[in-house]
Structure formats: C-alpha cells, structure tokens
Amino acid sequence: MTAFWADLFEKFGVMVVGLVAFAAVVGIVLFLADRAPKKGRDFWQLLAFVSPAMILLAIGLIYPAIRTIYLSFTNRSGREWVGLRNYEWMFTQPEIITVLVNTLIWVALVPTLSTIFGLAYAVFIDKSHGEKVLKSLVFMPMAISFVGAGIIWRFVYEYRELGFGEQIGILNQIIVWFGGEPQQFLQNSPWNTFFLIIVMVWIQTGFAMVLLSAAIKGVPVEIIEAARLDGANAWQQFRNVTLPGIRGTLVVVITTISIATLKVFDIVRAMTGGQFGTSVVANEMYTQAFNRGEIGQGSALALILFVMVLPIVIYNVRVMRKQKEIR
C-alpha cells in the first residue's frame, strides 16, 4: 500500500506541488500590489498581471530551450560533454541528410501549393452560387487532426499485392479497375514523400483560402472599379490591384504554413513512421530522443529545427512591424 502511494506521489505530487507554488507566488505578488504605496502601485499592479505569464513562460519555454541547447552538446545519456560530435553526426550520416532534404522539400512545396490552391479557391468561388457550402467543404479538413488525416490518407494509399485479397486503397482500386498494377505509394522512395505532402496541402489549403478570401473582400471596390474603367482586364486587375492589396495576408499565410510544415510530425508518424526514406526533422528528433534513447542527437535535431523556424518568424515580425508603421 505504501509503495502505491509513493508511486502515485511520484507521478502527480510534483505537478500538485508546482501548481501550489505557482498559486502562492501569484498570491504574494497580488498582495504586495494591493499593499504597495500609491506612488509605486502602478508598477506592482503591472508586475502582478505580467508575472504569472512570465513564470509560465520561463518554466515551459525558456528553461527547456536552454536545457535542450546544453543537451545537444552531450552524449546519449546527457551527462558527458561531447562538443560538436552530435552536429558532425547529423551532417555526415546519409540517412540524416535525407531527413534534412525531405524537410526542405516539405517547406518548399507545402506553403507554395497550399497558398496557390487557397488563393484560387478564394478567387473563383467568391460570390458564386453555393459559396458558403463550397468553402465549408474546402475548409473541412482543418477540423481533422493531423493523425486523423494521416490515417484517412493511409487507407487511400493502401497497397495489397495482386492475388492477396481485394484492394482497400481507393487509388490502387482505381488503377486495378483500369487494368493496371497496384502501386506501393508509401513505400517507393522518393515519391512517397510527395504523397505525404499531398496530405498536408489538403489540410492547409482551407486555412489559406479562409484568410485570403477575407483579405480579398477587404480590397476597396472603388480601386477595382477604377482599374476596370482604365481598361484593365480581369488578370490585370488581379495582378495589379488585388495581389498588392492582400500582400500582408499572403505573408502571414505563407509564414504560418511554413512554420507548421517545419514542425510536421503527426502525418509522417501515422502514415510511415518515418520509414522508407520519408522521415523529417521533427519525426527524427522524436525517434532519436525517445525511441533510441539518444538524448544528445535528439536535442541537436531539435536545435536545428529551431534554427530553421527562426528566420521565418523574424521575417514575419518585420513585415508586420512595417505594416503598423505605414498605418
């Protein structure tokens, strides 16, 4: 019985103690803010409102980030300093180079295709009959989790050799109906990576469409009418009026999808598990750190992922800041 309670405290006790300590700190700060002299009360009140978020940020983000950077320079147990050995391993192992190349392919294709398809839907479905229904159908995949989408598309790509049962994958069934041989869509490298990318594009197109559709509706009608009166055709109106008017939204859409693509894990894990040359950085990070127990290598991959995301975030912040200055 004692062992049971000890095990229970080990699992949940630390969490309870942390929550109590957090509540105590917030309570003390609020008490000091209320008791503070009138002259410095604004400062203490500001501190009282900001400190809970700062504490959670430090515990949940800053400390793990610093520890991950440290672990990336250690061995598999995280106890022995090995310097740049983990990074040397990363850029010399052919399978890890394949992982990095796959990630770059994902981040090059998914934001581009999702934005193009989303913009096309936003333009051609806008003000058409059944606009709400059509846009709802395109946006519907956003309501599905990445794992759920991966399972759905895994059945779409499912392969069974001829003579070993009927095809349950719709694509292979269509191929068989037309007299062809079923294909191993998820096993044949490197094309399997592109079949996985289709799943991400399917999900993100709805997100791009909603934002871009709202931005297009926000372009002043007077400017479009003026372009039409000047003799501009539909393409010229779109290129010279609509696109510049939605540039800020385009940047937000592309950068948001790019960040989500760099962190993609669920689709790859659910559909191939990273096998057959389909792994990406986030999946390989999980595999190294938790499946193989290589804490140092997993942390190095996590740091590389952070470095890949950082320029996109900085660019997005700079664009948003320029837009605020213009306004």
Side-chain angles (χ1 to χ4, degrees):
M1 193 67 178
T2 305
F4 169 77
W5 287 108
D7 184 58
L8 189 65
F9 178 79
E10 184 179 354
K11 291 180 178 178
F12 298 101
V14 176
M15 179 184 70
V16 174
V17 170
L19 291 174
V20 171
F22 176 74
V25 171
V26 174
I28 291 171
V29 174
L30 291 173
F31 175 79
L32 292 174
D34 185 62
R35 295 285 182 174
K38 189 174 182 180
K39 187 175 181 180
R41 186 169 295 177
D42 291 342
F43 169 77
W44 285 103
Q45 287 178 346
L46 177 63
L47 182 63
F49 284 107
V50 173
S51 58
M54 295 301 295
I55 293 171
L56 289 176
L57 189 65
I59 296 173
L61 183 63
I62 297 175
Y63 171 72
I66 295 173
R67 180 159 176 78
T68 300
I69 293 172
Y70 168 76
L71 289 174
S72 69
F73 297 100
T74 61
N75 65 350
R76 63 177 300 166
S77 64
R79 297 176 182 176
E80 181 182 343
W81 185 269
V82 296
L84 296 175
R85 191 181 303 170
N86 292 323
Y87 297 95
E88 180 183 351
W89 160 83
M90 187 187 310
F91 293 105
T92 55
Q93 295 296 316
E95 59 270 21
I96 305 302
I97 293 176
T98 300
V99 168
L100 296 174
V101 171
N102 286 343
T103 304
L104 293 176
I105 293 173
W106 275 76
V107 81
L109 291 182
V110 173
T112 303
L113 295 177
S114 299
T115 304
I116 290 173
F117 293 149
L119 183 59
Y121 274 118
V123 171
F124 293 116
I125 298 179
D126 190 32
K127 297 179 181 179
S128 64
H129 294 292
E131 176 187 356
K132 294 181 180 179
V133 175
L134 293 173
K135 287 186 176 180
S136 297
L137 292 174
V138 176
F139 185 76
M140 195 176 294
M142 281 293 297
I144 305 173
S145 68
F146 283 4
V147 174
I151 293 172
I152 292 170
W153 280 85
R154 186 172 181 177
F155 281 110
V156 173
Y157 295 141
E158 186 63 36
Y159 162 83
R160 284 186 179 178
E161 192 174 347
L162 286 177
F164 289 87
E166 295 182 358
Q167 300 295 328
I168 61 173
I170 186 171
L171 286 182
N172 274 320
Q173 184 59 65
I174 292 172
I175 292 173
V176 171
W177 280 340
F178 283 93
E181 292 283 336
Q183 302 296 316
Q184 294 180 318
F185 293 105
L186 298 180
Q187 289 77 24
N188 293 333
S189 179
W191 300 109
N192 48 9
T193 295
F194 296 98
F195 289 115
L196 295 182
I197 287 173
I198 290 173
V199 182
M200 189 71 169
V201 172
W202 178 67
I203 296 172
Q204 295 296 332
T205 295
F207 168 77
M209 178 205 65
V210 170
L211 268 66
L212 294 173
S213 178
I216 290 172
K217 291 180 183 297
V219 176
V221 180
E222 296 81 4
I223 300 178
I224 298 176
E225 290 294 334
R228 184 181 294 114
L229 292 174
D230 286 341
N233 56 34
W235 168 248
Q236 290 172 333
Q237 293 171 32
F238 176 75
R239 186 184 63 185
N240 299 321
V241 178
T242 304
L243 277 182
I246 64 172
R247 181 177 178 274
T249 306
L250 278 171
V251 171
V252 171
V253 168
I254 292 173
T255 53
T256 302
I257 297 177
S258 297
I259 293 171
T261 303
L262 282 170
K263 299 186 297 181
V264 67
F265 166 81
D266 316 64
I267 293 173
V268 175
R269 201 73 187 178
M271 296 186 70
T272 64
Q275 299 177 351
F276 315 114
T278 59
S279 188
V280 290
V281 172
N283 179 74
E284 193 64 26
M285 173 189 69
Y286 177 88
T287 301
Q288 295 293 335
F290 299 104
N291 286 4
R292 300 179 183 175
E294 295 285 352
I295 302 298
Q297 294 177 0
S299 299
L301 286 165
L303 189 59
I304 288 297
L305 184 60
F306 171 75
V307 171
M308 294 172 75
V309 171
L310 193 60
I312 301 175
V313 175
I314 293 174
Y315 175 74
N316 198 9
V317 171
R318 290 184 62 183
V319 170
M320 297 300 291
R321 189 172 295 173
K322 285 181 180 178
Q323 288 180 348
K324 286 183 179 179
E325 291 175 356
I326 293 173
R327 292 176 185 174

